[in-house]
Amino acid sequence: MPTTRTSRDGFRMSDVLAVALIVIFAVLPFPDETFRAGGLLLIPGLAPAVIMPLRRRWPLASLGVSLTCVVAVAAAGSISPSALLAVAIACFAVLDRLGRRIGLLSLGVSVVVAVLANGWALGGDLFDSTALQFVLLIVLGGALGDTARSRREFATAMTERAERAERSRDDEARRRVAEDRVRIARDLHDVVAHQIAVISLNAGVASSSLETRPERAREALTTVRSASRTVLADIGGLMTLLRADGSDGSDDEAEFRPQRGLSDLDALLSGFRDAGLRVDLRRGRREIALSPGGDHVAYLVLHEALTNAHKHGRGGTATVAIRAEGAAVHLTIVNPTATESSPPAVGNGLRGLQERIAAVGGAVHFGSEGGVFSLEAWIPTEADTSS
């Protein structure tokens, strides 16, 4: 609708001006009698004024009528300045509306017809200075039309580019929001799910041992209290991270996130052993040097695998092997499964583990065979990551 309103406003102003100029040039008394189209010659001199208001809708028709009037006046031995001016205005419209290829072709035809018609009226003189001025006026009209079209196309291209940039920013914002949601869900799983599993398992141990082994129940309740404090502290740190707007320019993400590593392995295994899972640890003698991110991912691998072994395994046993292999640390966790035929279900924990291991350049493989579930992970060492 704004485009239509603009075109109507243009019709009211510029078209009235074009018609007025054509009428003035038709009745203007030029010194040279050749440029005076009086009597019946006023009809072809004024005829282009009728079609000029329609030149935007039918630019080629307006140009054709104007050229016809130029030739008709020339056939009577005169030159019509008003018709030549109408040709210049029509060339402007053709270049502006129909593009450069059709516009230049139409402009070339108009110049040739105008030169020949003027030469016919002047008895073969093709280089009369006054007549050539009108030819140059036609060329100027075409050039201005091409300039107007180029400026309009440039403005349209800039507008479309700005809209595309805005859409790209919106898409990027939506993508980052989606990534943040995945990260938050993964962090909540790391922070909450494992500790809640420990709390649930120890609560069950305390409930079953309350009458027969009260000391065992007290140990389980102590573990529940410790795990509750840990999960509350971790959730508080995660909430602090989510509420931070980062306006101070500092990166405090590492401060709030739970960055446990293999140095906490003994405490991790102790917690599972207290919950009733028998863990056999096999550790290589070679020293392991992991980056902070890789060390945290290694801890999460063990945590996730042992939690699944305790919740879904059979017999309450698991074997953990940690050894260095070349430029990577090889983690293996094996435990009996509850059923021998059903394949392991890939839950959110294992999916998140795959993403975290891939983020540090590692690899993971897990599966169930012969009633035994195994999870193997390869995490690059700090030297390999830095290279």
Side-chain angles (χ1 to χ4, degrees):
M1 296 303 296
T3 304
T4 304
R5 191 179 298 113
T6 302
S7 63
R8 289 177 179 176
D9 291 342
F11 173 83
R12 292 170 184 169
M13 293 183 295
S14 62
D15 290 350
V16 170
L17 179 61
V19 171
L21 287 175
I22 292 174
V23 173
I24 291 173
F25 271 68
V27 299
L28 194 66
F30 283 86
D32 194 340
E33 293 184 358
T34 307
F35 293 90
R36 297 177 185 176
L40 294 177
L41 294 181
L42 280 176
I43 297 176
L46 293 173
V50 179
I51 200 172
M52 277 300 104
L54 303 177
R55 70 188 185 280
R56 292 185 181 86
R57 184 177 300 177
W58 299 310
L60 288 178
S62 301
L63 180 60
V65 170
S66 301
L67 289 174
T68 301
C69 293
V70 169
V71 174
V73 175
S78 297
I79 295 177
S80 176
S82 59
L84 291 171
L85 178 62
V87 171
I89 298 175
C91 284
F92 179 98
V94 172
L95 266 296
D96 183 36
R97 297 291 171 174
L98 301 183
R100 183 166 294 171
R101 179 179 299 179
I102 297 178
L104 290 179
L105 180 61
S106 301
L107 179 62
V109 172
S110 301
V111 169
V112 171
V113 171
V115 170
L116 294 179
N118 291 340
W120 185 11
L122 295 172
D125 186 5
L126 299 178
F127 301 102
D128 181 77
S129 59
T130 306
L132 288 178
Q133 290 178 8
F134 286 99
V135 174
L136 292 178
L137 184 63
I138 295 174
V139 175
L140 178 61
L144 292 177
D146 184 70
T147 302
R149 177 188 51 78
S150 299
R151 291 184 60 183
R152 187 174 62 253
E153 291 177 352
F154 177 77
T156 302
M158 290 298 101
T159 302
E160 292 177 353
R161 183 179 299 179
E163 292 175 352
R164 285 197 301 269
E166 185 175 356
R167 288 195 297 268
S168 299
R169 285 194 298 268
D170 293 340
D171 293 341
E172 178 67 15
R174 284 192 291 268
R175 184 187 66 81
R176 291 192 176 185
V177 168
E179 290 179 352
D180 286 342
R181 287 176 178 174
V182 173
R183 178 180 60 82
I184 293 170
R186 192 166 53 219
D187 288 347
L188 285 174
H189 179 273
D190 294 340
V191 170
V192 177
H194 299 311
Q195 295 294 343
I196 295 298
V198 171
I199 292 173
S200 176
L201 293 171
N202 280 276
V205 171
S207 176
S208 61
S209 305
L210 189 60
E211 299 292 340
T212 59
R213 299 179 60 188
E215 69 283 353
R216 175 66 172 160
R218 282 195 297 270
E219 292 177 0
L221 291 175
T222 301
T223 303
V224 168
R225 182 173 60 181
S226 176
S228 300
R229 290 176 177 175
T230 301
V231 73
L232 286 175
D234 289 343
I235 290 177
L238 184 59
M239 292 300 103
T240 304
L241 172 64
L242 294 177
R243 289 169 182 164
D245 58 359
S247 58
D248 56 354
S250 59
D251 186 8
D252 297 333
E253 185 173 349
E255 180 182 348
F256 298 125
R257 283 193 179 184
Q259 294 293 336
R260 299 183 181 87
L262 292 181
S263 59
D264 302 307
L265 180 59
D266 293 337
L268 177 66
L269 298 183
S270 177
F272 280 103
R273 285 166 180 160
D274 292 341
L277 181 66
R278 298 188 302 273
V279 182
D280 180 20
L281 176 62
R282 302 174 184 178
R283 199 165 189 172
R285 297 181 179 180
R286 181 178 168 186
E287 185 178 354
I288 297 174
L290 289 171
S291 64
D295 191 34
H296 181 52
V297 170
Y299 177 88
L300 293 177
V301 169
L302 296 174
H303 206 326
E304 177 70 24
L306 292 175
T307 300
N308 290 338
H310 200 291
K311 291 172 60 177
H312 308 296
R314 177 172 53 89
T317 61
T319 301
V320 176
I322 305 175
R323 62 181 181 274
E325 289 186 358
V329 174
H330 185 194
L331 305 175
T332 305
I333 303 93
V334 179
N335 65 274
T337 58
T339 58
E340 296 186 1
S341 57
S342 60
V346 181
N348 293 328
L350 290 176
R351 291 193 186 96
L353 204 61
Q354 289 175 316
E355 295 175 0
R356 288 189 179 274
I357 294 175
V360 297
V364 63
H365 172 75
F366 52 84
S368 180
E369 184 177 358
V372 177
F373 178 79
S374 63
L375 186 149
E376 295 183 86
W378 292 264
I379 301 175
T381 60
E382 188 172 11
D384 182 66
T385 303
S386 62
S387 63

